[in-house]
Amino acid sequence: MRLTKLEHAALVLDDSGKKLYIDPGAFTTPITESAGAVAIVITHEHPDHWTPEQLGRIVEANPGVRIFGPAGVASAIGEAFDVEVVSAGDSVEVEPFSLRFFGGAHAVIHESIPVVDNVGVLVDGSLYYAGDSFTIPEGVDVDLLAVPAGAPWLKISEAMDYVTAVAPRRAFPTHEMVLSKAGKDLSNARLRDVTEKAGGEYVALEPGDTLDL
């Protein structure tokens, strides 16, 4: 299985030509080459993690593609697309991918802003991405962790503590389109330090870069 990082929070996993997309949102270049997509996971309803245009392009190219997200995503999308609602504790098989879901709520941005539904997803027992949260997948030895590097809801110490708690074998940054080049460099340095101290390897992926799982 090969992971390709797209811009911001979007990822695509490819297993023998079958693809799983995660969080194709507004800060991600339009996805126009999606042939082979069997599933899309949307962790929560915020537009930097999905847009009707991104979903429409993928669905048009792959009419049978399945879309998964929490209840808030299904409500936000309405009848435009068929969303299969998932929540913490659910497991789904979409050949060749195995999905397990964790969490339930977005991290708090500010007390004046409602907290929305959010699920983290574990793919094939290997890649873990918590969406906009620091939910830890209890009982899981994470091979590859997608670490949020910049957002209105986090400070770098929280992301560092999260990496230390999960102690993945490998980690890479996500959710960083809100950062300047200097900000990305700073976040990468801090996240690399805690990943390595926990015994793992940090890979500072840029959009278009890949990793094999």
Side-chain angles (χ1 to χ4, degrees):
M1 181 169 63
R2 172 163 289 181
L3 174 142
T4 301
K5 174 181 167 51
L6 306 179
E7 293 92 351
H8 196 53
L11 310 170
V12 58
L13 293 136
D14 188 309
D15 187 339
S16 302
K18 294 186 177 180
K19 297 175 182 176
L20 165 67
Y21 283 89
I22 302 176
D23 282 359
F27 296 164
T28 303
T29 298
I31 296 169
T32 58
E33 301 292 336
S34 64
V38 296
I40 305 167
V41 171
I42 303 171
T43 61
H44 64 283
E45 65 196 73
H46 292 160
D48 57 325
H49 293 256
W50 82 279
T51 68
E53 294 79 13
Q54 294 281 35
L55 290 190
R57 284 185 285 267
I58 298 172
V59 170
E60 182 177 5
N62 305 274
V65 67
R66 297 170 69 182
I67 303 172
F68 300 96
V73 166
S75 178
I77 289 177
E79 297 182 359
F81 301 98
D82 182 19
V83 177
E84 299 180 45
V85 174
V86 290
S87 56
D90 289 345
S91 296
V92 177
E93 299 291 327
V94 186
E95 290 296 332
F97 301 103
S98 174
L99 310 176
R100 288 178 61 192
F101 296 94
F102 296 82
H106 192 288
V108 174
I109 302 171
H110 186 264
E111 62 181 11
S112 66
I113 300 173
V115 175
V116 301
D117 293 339
N118 179 95
V119 291
V121 61
L122 178 70
V123 182
D124 289 358
S126 181
L127 166 72
Y128 182 64
Y129 170 54
D132 280 12
S133 80
F134 291 121
T135 299
I136 296 170
E138 299 291 347
V140 177
D141 291 326
V142 175
D143 175 42
L144 182 61
L145 178 68
V147 185
W153 48 270
L154 72 78
K155 57 184 178 181
I156 196 63
S157 64
E158 296 171 324
M160 293 168 71
D161 288 343
Y162 174 62
V163 172
T164 299
V166 176
R169 284 182 283 274
R170 294 180 291 174
F172 70 95
T174 187
H175 211 285
E176 81 284 42
M177 286 293 283
V178 294
L179 299 177
S180 66
K181 175 65 166 60
K184 290 173 66 174
D185 289 345
L186 186 151
S187 292
N188 281 333
R190 297 289 183 263
L191 296 175
R192 183 186 304 280
D193 182 58
V194 290
T195 300
E196 292 178 349
K197 284 181 177 176
E201 175 190 4
Y202 186 77
V203 186
L205 295 183
E206 291 289 340
D209 289 348
T210 64
L211 278 178
D212 290 330
L213 289 84

